[in-house]
Amino acid sequence: MQIAVIGSGYVGLVAGACFADLGHDVIVVDNDEKKLAALNRGEVPIHENFLPELLHRHRGTRLKFSDDLETAVRASSAIFVAVGTPPTEHGEADLSYVESVARGISGAINGYKVVVEKSTVPVYTSDWVRKIILRNGAESEEFDVASNPEFLREGTAVTDFLYPDRIVVGADTLRCAALLREIYAPLADGTYYLKPDAIPRPDRAQIPPPLIVTSAKSAELIKHASNAFLAMKISFINAVASICESVGANVQQVCQGIGTDSRIGPRFLNPGVGYGGSCFPKDLMAFRAVARECGYEFRLLDEVIRINEEQRSRFIRKVRSALWTLRGKKLGVLGLAFKGGTDDIRESPAILLIQALLQEGCQISAFDPAARERAQEALNSNVTMTEDAYEAARGADALLILTEWEEFAALDLKRLKTELKYPIIVDGRNLYDPEVMAAEGFTYYSVGRPAASPEPTPSPAASTRVGKGTRS
Ligand code: UGA
């Protein structure tokens, strides 16, 4: 099938490349000339596993890049809208890019087409997109508007797309649903997975994935509700971690105990410095705004957001309790991206924490395997970026772990200890076993677990309660 994807951001580019791998002919449209030129030159603008392979495989054949919306729409049976929906100052999603694309599509309709929302949008957007297309001259029988939300995570976006837990198709007519079923048939009937060059199957994937057909409005809600639920899981476990710290319990054991209940499940129960990224913070605010507009005060979401913000303050208090005063302290920081496996620093807890620590007068050397350049810009050169983790630790009063990169969980601890001025680690991602760290000679603080130290440990309550001055 001929498909147009409007917008070459994370979602658009990954969707375009994956549709091409399913055997469709895809035109990705963007109005950013520079980005298009880079894509046409073969550059890969985002750090995403398997994306370089897919772009290399299909670029110029099944996958084309263009700035010509009209031609792309005319040529295509399905138009996926994957443009940005940034938050307004009141937290609602700004849908002006979606509206402008809808206007553009309207003028180019030349036969039945399905216009598919792929960006995360509030409920009722499909109604509005339909109205705008009609207002601008298209006939009602010439098109349908569908919602086909994406559940991909940055860093694993390609495998999430090709091995999804489910495919959600929000279509209000049979014709529209049939067209979307056809697009996803290689995944839903499993034929994609038989291809010798299929992207390798990740461990947990169930194939083939179920394809769930709903109304467009339900699909819009599924996306917001999914992200809100996942963020709620994270804030829930962060709140439990705080209680663990107060009573000297171990949140990892608590997680094991609750996560094995199949109704709860173990995933997204990792405590840390709070969630970040371009999705959860924005989508929670947008969902709250949608609810408010419908007359429902979704106070649970207020609390999810509040716990997330507080998690960063708790972390700063923990650093302070490890070092006593902060002014003039030299800190090594591991991790700048909002999570491991990506170079994205949008709403990154690591960046927000570094900014807070700079304000406290700390000097910071930081390392991230992928996000250094972006972070350097955001931090206005106030942080020394290093070539590796050991250099970040060199001469530091303490080392902070802020992003869950796999390589940060496999450091040479003996070397790390010789690099640090004092062997103190404050781990915001629980990457190490406290006992192992103590045995290796570190004073080690993490989230929701008792602090560990090579010296005789004080009573659990005193060693773990944030703000209790457990300076070593
Ligand atoms: C999230 C969702 O997981 C995707 O399903 C969704 O499609 C996407 O948003 C989106 O709406 O586009 P993503 O933002 O890439 O994906 O990242 P996640 O892996 O969900 O992580 C979000 C944040 O939560 C990160 O800062 C991560 O470190 C944090 N996190 C995650 C935790 O603190 N604990 C956990 O157990 C899991």
Side-chain angles (χ1 to χ4, degrees):
M1 193 175 304
Q2 179 74 53
I3 291 174
V5 178
I6 319 298
S8 66
Y10 262 98
V11 173
L13 192 57
V14 169
C18 291
F19 282 141
D21 211 44
L22 298 186
H24 302 301
D25 290 314
V26 183
I27 308 175
V28 175
V29 180
D30 204 296
N31 54 13
D32 183 336
E33 296 286 337
K34 270 200 204 150
K35 211 167 175 188
L36 289 176
L39 286 165
N40 279 320
R41 276 197 304 273
E43 289 171 25
V44 185
I46 50 176
H47 182 90
E48 204 55 64
N49 271 341
F50 299 114
L51 188 61
E53 283 93 319
L54 289 190
L55 292 180
H56 179 73
R57 205 181 272 181
H58 302 297
R59 183 188 293 114
T61 51
R62 273 200 220 131
L63 181 62
K64 298 195 171 124
F65 301 101
S66 160
D67 63 353
D68 185 351
L69 176 71
E70 190 173 335
T71 308
V73 171
R74 284 183 180 281
S76 304
S77 310
I79 300 112
F80 286 81
V81 181
V83 295
T85 54
T88 66
E89 55 187 278
H90 305 297
E92 297 139 5
D94 174 357
L95 298 172
S96 54
Y97 299 115
V98 176
E99 181 179 357
S100 125
V101 167
R103 274 199 305 269
I105 291 172
S106 180
I109 288 185
N110 58 342
Y112 181 74
K113 296 183 193 295
V114 171
V115 179
V116 194
E117 298 165 357
K118 200 72 174 148
S119 317
T120 303
V121 289
V123 65
Y124 287 122
T125 304
S126 54
D127 276 1
W128 271 107
V129 168
R130 181 170 182 79
K131 265 185 224 161
I132 297 298
I133 296 178
L134 286 172
R135 251 182 221 170
N136 286 278
E139 299 294 330
S140 66
E141 64 285 356
E142 282 182 319
F143 74 98
D144 275 309
V145 179
S147 165
N148 169 223
E150 198 43 66
F151 303 102
L152 51 82
R153 287 160 302 167
E154 289 183 20
T156 53
V158 169
T159 42
D160 284 345
F161 189 101
L162 294 168
Y163 294 86
D165 286 350
R166 76 300 203 188
I167 299 161
V168 173
V169 161
D172 295 326
T173 69
L174 288 175
R175 189 178 186 189
C176 172
L179 191 133
L180 280 158
R181 273 185 198 281
E182 197 182 325
I183 292 175
Y184 284 105
L187 299 182
D189 67 17
T191 47
Y192 173 77
Y193 307 114
L194 303 174
K195 284 196 341 168
D197 61 350
I199 293 297
R201 177 180 177 174
D203 287 344
R204 264 189 295 260
Q206 298 285 342
I207 53 171
L211 187 145
I212 302 167
V213 179
T214 68
S215 68
K217 283 197 187 80
S218 297
E220 289 167 337
L221 273 176
I222 286 169
K223 173 67 193 188
H224 265 158
S226 298
N227 274 2
F229 193 89
L230 291 168
M232 180 183 74
K233 248 184 134 176
I234 298 170
S235 278
F236 179 84
I237 204 62
N238 280 333
V240 172
S242 301
I243 299 171
C244 288
E245 287 178 6
S246 301
V247 301
N250 183 327
V251 73
Q252 213 162 313
Q253 295 171 358
V254 176
C255 279
Q256 197 187 0
I258 60 177
T260 38
D261 183 326
S262 59
R263 293 168 301 174
I264 297 173
R267 296 172 72 192
F268 275 69
L269 276 186
N270 297 319
V273 286
Y275 61 77
S278 65
C279 303
F280 285 173
K282 166 173 86 81
D283 289 354
L284 258 82
M285 288 203 298
F287 196 26
R288 189 173 60 170
V290 168
R292 189 168 296 146
E293 230 169 86
C294 305
Y296 182 74
E297 279 301 327
F298 209 151
R299 295 215 175 82
L300 177 62
L301 299 187
D302 294 343
E303 197 54 23
V304 170
I305 294 167
R306 193 195 62 75
I307 294 171
N308 198 53
E309 283 163 5
E310 196 185 86
Q311 204 60 13
R312 293 195 297 271
S313 323
R314 288 184 68 85
F315 188 81
I316 299 279
R317 292 209 294 277
K318 199 171 285 175
V319 177
R320 188 176 281 122
S321 81
L323 294 177
W324 190 21
T325 63
L326 290 180
R327 179 155 306 279
K329 289 278 156 68
K330 188 170 182 306
L331 301 175
V333 166
L334 300 187
L336 297 160
F338 82 96
K339 64 172 190 177
T342 174
D343 61 351
D344 198 338
I345 57 157
R346 285 177 288 176
E347 298 292 321
S348 168
I351 301 288
L352 298 169
L353 283 168
I354 289 173
Q355 282 165 337
L357 290 164
L358 288 171
Q359 282 215 320
E360 296 277 354
C362 298
Q363 293 167 35
I364 294 181
S365 295
F367 172 69
D368 188 286
R372 269 171 300 168
E373 270 177 42
R374 288 182 181 203
Q376 186 82 76
E377 276 171 40
L379 293 165
N380 295 328
S381 319
N382 288 326
V383 170
T384 309
M385 296 293 166
T386 67
E387 289 304 311
D388 61 37
Y390 305 100
E391 196 189 330
R394 199 158 297 155
D397 291 287
L399 184 72
L400 316 184
I401 303 178
L402 302 184
T403 304
E404 68 275 43
W405 279 98
E406 270 176 34
E407 65 180 80
F408 295 163
L411 295 170
D412 176 341
L413 296 175
K414 299 217 165 14
R415 183 168 166 205
L416 199 61
K417 190 156 172 262
T418 59
E419 297 285 5
L420 281 162
K421 186 166 162 201
Y422 302 113
I424 301 173
I425 296 186
V426 190
D427 180 357
R429 298 292 189 165
N430 287 3
L431 298 188
Y432 288 95
D433 181 338
E435 278 177 26
V436 171
M437 296 308 271
E440 290 285 343
F442 289 94
T443 298
Y444 177 77
Y445 302 85
S446 55
V447 183
R449 303 182 300 177
S453 164
E455 300 145 26
T457 14
S459 74
S463 68
T464 56
R465 204 170 284 159
V466 172
K468 271 266 175 179
T470 53
R471 187 170 172 251
S472 63

